C-alpha cells in the first residue's frame, strides 16, 4: 500500500515570507513518481513538478524549490518570497508502475498568503 | 500531448435524480483513467479507476458507479443522488509518471 502524508493542514504567512510545505510518503516500490499540484480557488489542479525515485537532485524553478530526500521519504516544497497569488491548496501525490498506476494524494495543505 | 475533457463544469441536481459525468481523453491509447472526488475543504479521494474498456475498480463503496464504454471514455454515474454526493469531481489520466487532470465538475445536490 502507498500513502502520502501532508501534516500541515493550513499555513498562514505574510507576503514575502518563505514557506515550506512538507510531504512524507510511503511505498514498497523502488520505482515511483512524486508530484506537487496547486489547486487555486477555481478548483482545477495545476501541475507543478514530477520527480522520479531515481532522481534525488533538488530542483529550483523561479521562487519554487523542491527537496527530495529518499532517506527520510520526504519531498518538501518551498516557496521563496511568497505572494498573495500563491494562496491555494497544495497537494503532494505519489504513483508507482504497478497495476492501476493510481495517484495517491496527501490531504493537502491550504496556504494563505496575507498582504 | 494528452488532453482530458470533462463536462459539465458545474451541475445542480435534486436529491434522487440521476447523474452522468463524462470524461474523454485525447493523445493516448489504452490509458489508465481515474475518478476522484473532493468534498468541500477536504482532500482528493479516489473513487474508481479503469485500466481498460469494461474494467472498473472501485475504491470506495458508495452510491456511484463508473463505466468505460470506449478506450478513451470514462463515465461516472448515479441512479439516485444523495446530498452527500455533493463535491468536486475530477477525472484523471496517469501512466508511468505522466498524469493529467480534467478541469473538474462541481456538483451540488439540493
Amino acid at each position: 500500500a502507498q500513502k502520502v502524508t501532508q501534516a500541515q493542514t493550513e499555513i498562514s504567512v505574510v507576503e514575502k515570507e518563505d514557506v515550506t510545505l512538507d510531504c512524507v510518503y510511503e511505498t514498497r516500490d523502488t520505482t515511483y513518481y512524486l508530484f506537487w499540484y496547486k489547486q487555486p480557488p477555481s478548483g482545477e489542479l495545476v501541475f507543478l513538478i514530477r520527480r522520479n525515485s531515481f532522481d534525488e537532485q533538488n530542483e529550483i524553478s523561479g521562487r519554487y524549490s523542491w527537496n527530495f530526500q529518499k532517506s527520510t521519504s520526504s519531498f518538501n516544497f518551498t516557496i521563496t518570497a511568497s505572494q498573495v497569488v500563491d494562496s491555494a491548496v497544495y497537494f503532494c501525490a505519489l504513483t508507482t508502475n504497478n497495476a492501476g498506476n493510481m495517484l495517491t494524494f496527501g490531504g493537502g495543505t491550504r496556504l494563505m498568503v496575507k498582504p | 500531448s494528452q488532453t482530458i475533457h470533462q463536462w459539465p463544469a458545474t451541475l445542480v441536481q435534486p436529491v434522487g435524480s440521476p447523474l452522468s459525468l463524462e470524461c474523454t481523453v485525447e493523445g493516448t491509447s489504452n490509458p489508465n483513467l481515474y475518478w476522484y472526488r473532493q468534498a468541500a475543504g477536504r482532500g482528493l479521494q479516489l473513487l474508481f479507476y479503469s485500466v481498460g474498456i469494461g474494467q472498473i475498480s472501485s475504491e470506495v463503496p458508495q452510491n456511484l458507479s463508473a463505466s468505460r464504454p470506449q478506450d478513451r471514455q470514462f463515465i461516472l454515474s448515479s441512479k439516485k443522488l444523495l446530498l452527500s454526493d455533493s463535491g468536486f469531481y475530477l477525472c484523471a489520466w496517469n501512466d508511468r509518471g505522466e498524469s493529467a487532470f480534467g478541469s473538474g465538475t462541481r456538483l451540488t445536490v439540493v
Side-chain angles (χ1 to χ4, degrees):
Chain A
Q2 53 195 44
K3 184 179 179 182
V4 178
T5 302
Q6 294 178 255
Q8 306 146 308
T9 55
E10 202 166 288
I11 301 175
S12 182
V13 300
V14 176
E15 208 169 19
K16 297 184 183 178
E17 286 184 12
D18 298 346
V19 59
T20 295
L21 309 182
D22 297 332
C23 173
V24 174
Y25 63 91
E26 296 175 29
T27 179
R28 294 179 181 175
D29 292 294
T30 56
T31 301
Y32 52 89
Y33 302 87
L34 295 163
F35 301 79
W36 274 97
Y37 291 92
K38 175 182 180 180
Q39 187 181 44
S42 54
E44 80 275 14
L45 284 179
V46 178
F47 168 81
L48 297 178
I49 191 173
R50 182 189 72 208
R51 173 70 69 211
N52 73 58
S53 53
F54 299 107
D55 183 4
E56 284 192 75
Q57 196 170 16
N58 292 328
E59 183 161 336
I60 298 175
S61 176
R63 295 184 298 108
Y64 295 170
S65 62
W66 291 270
N67 183 3
F68 177 29
Q69 293 197 354
K70 289 178 76 171
S71 60
T72 56
S73 298
S74 65
F75 187 42
N76 296 339
F77 172 33
T78 297
I79 302 175
T80 303
S82 60
Q83 300 175 1
V84 173
V85 293
D86 295 327
S87 298
V89 179
Y90 291 85
F91 289 98
C92 181
L94 165 74
T95 189
T96 70
N97 283 338
N98 286 333
N101 284 311
M102 65 186 71
L103 270 169
T104 299
F105 285 87
T109 297
R110 181 177 299 277
L111 174 64
M112 293 177 289
V113 182
K114 300 178 181 177
Chain B
S1 62
Q2 296 75 23
T3 305
I4 294 188
H5 300 281
Q6 185 181 342
W7 67 93
T10 60
L11 194 59
V12 180
Q13 292 283 104
V15 169
S17 64
L19 172 74
S20 180
L21 302 182
E22 190 161 344
C23 168
T24 59
V25 60
E26 295 178 356
T28 184
S29 59
N30 196 31
N32 294 327
L33 297 174
Y34 309 83
W35 277 110
Y36 289 87
R37 177 171 63 193
Q38 185 180 29
R42 305 290 294 277
L44 288 157
Q45 179 186 41
L46 178 65
L47 301 177
F48 301 95
Y49 71 92
S50 172
V51 299
I53 296 174
Q55 301 179 62
I56 308 294
S57 296
S58 174
E59 289 295 302
V60 182
Q62 59 213 312
N63 185 43
L64 302 168
S65 63
S67 61
R68 179 95 174 256
Q70 299 180 42
D71 182 45
R72 301 175 189 178
Q73 186 183 30
F74 201 24
I75 298 172
L76 182 69
S77 305
S78 174
K79 293 182 179 179
K80 290 185 178 181
L81 284 168
L82 306 173
L83 286 174
S84 57
D85 291 324
S86 293
F88 188 63
Y89 290 81
L90 276 167
C91 179
W93 162 84
N94 185 35
D95 183 29
R96 288 166 290 181
E98 298 281 343
S99 66
F101 286 84
S103 53
T105 298
R106 196 168 299 280
L107 171 67
T108 304
V109 182
V110 296

